[in-house]
Amino acid sequence: MTVIPGSPKSRLDPDPMPRRDWLGLASLWSAASALLFGLVGSMRLPKAAVVAAPSKTFKVTLPDSLAAGEAFVPAGRAVAVYRDAEGIHAISTICTHLGCVVKSNAEGFECPCHGSRFDATGGVVKGPAPRALAWLQVKVSGSEIQVDEGKAVPSGTKVKNA
Ligand code: FES
């Protein structure tokens, strides 16, 4: 568009922006862009690779067919739960040697890692396990059985089935 000298200025032909205003706008846009990119970047951060540990306390439903002295191992738990005439008890199946999960058998438990054997009460029959398997706290209320993997109780502690 050609401007004729001396002619009135058109509203569509604005004054050139003063340098100070241009710098102010540029810094405003820079700050807004940095904020936006920072926000988008923080949303794309990797999530923490921490898996919440399952609760140490869990409920168990013993099958009606469970015979006295027969171990019931709830899925995903390192615990053997028993029911007999004296009550209900739970024994940890974590080997006291190096922490492998022991397998229950007719005599008690056997560790697949280094061959330790335990009797039906968790007592050590053959090493290298240094200690008996831990008995765990059991709470019974009505038909609900709750086992706490985090709380050991004295060996032989059985809870009466209410
Ligand atoms: S971890 Fe069980 S015997 Fe070594």
Side-chain angles (χ1 to χ4, degrees):
M1 177 180 199
T2 49
V3 178
I4 301 166
S7 64
K9 277 192 146 188
S10 163
R11 287 182 343 177
L12 300 175
D13 186 21
D15 287 334
M17 180 180 281
R19 186 173 174 194
R20 179 175 289 182
D21 290 351
W22 188 89
L23 288 173
L25 274 178
S27 65
L28 190 68
W29 278 108
S30 296
S33 301
L35 193 67
L36 181 71
F37 282 114
L39 195 67
V40 169
S42 69
M43 287 189 305
R44 299 190 59 191
L45 284 176
K47 300 283 184 267
V50 177
V51 178
S55 170
K56 290 194 175 287
T57 304
F58 60 96
K59 291 177 184 153
V60 179
T61 304
L62 295 178
D64 292 336
S65 60
L66 188 71
E70 184 184 348
F72 175 73
V73 179
R77 298 289 178 170
V79 174
V81 184
Y82 296 87
R83 175 175 55 205
D84 58 24
E86 299 161 27
I88 296 169
H89 67 282
I91 298 177
S92 168
T93 56
I94 303 291
C95 183
T96 55
H97 179 223
L98 292 178
C100 289
V101 176
V102 300
K103 306 276 181 234
S104 66
N105 59 28
E107 291 87 42
F109 303 91
E110 185 165 355
C111 183
C113 293
H114 308 104
S116 287
R117 275 194 252 133
F118 305 86
D119 62 21
T121 65
V124 177
V125 174
K126 176 182 168 275
R131 294 181 314 281
L133 297 174
W135 283 50
L136 302 173
Q137 185 180 64
V138 174
K139 288 180 182 169
V140 178
S141 90
S143 63
E144 195 174 284
I145 300 166
Q146 197 173 46
V147 178
D148 190 342
E149 283 180 298
K151 285 192 184 151
V153 295
S155 180
T157 305
K158 296 184 180 183
V159 178
K160 276 284 180 202
N161 198 355

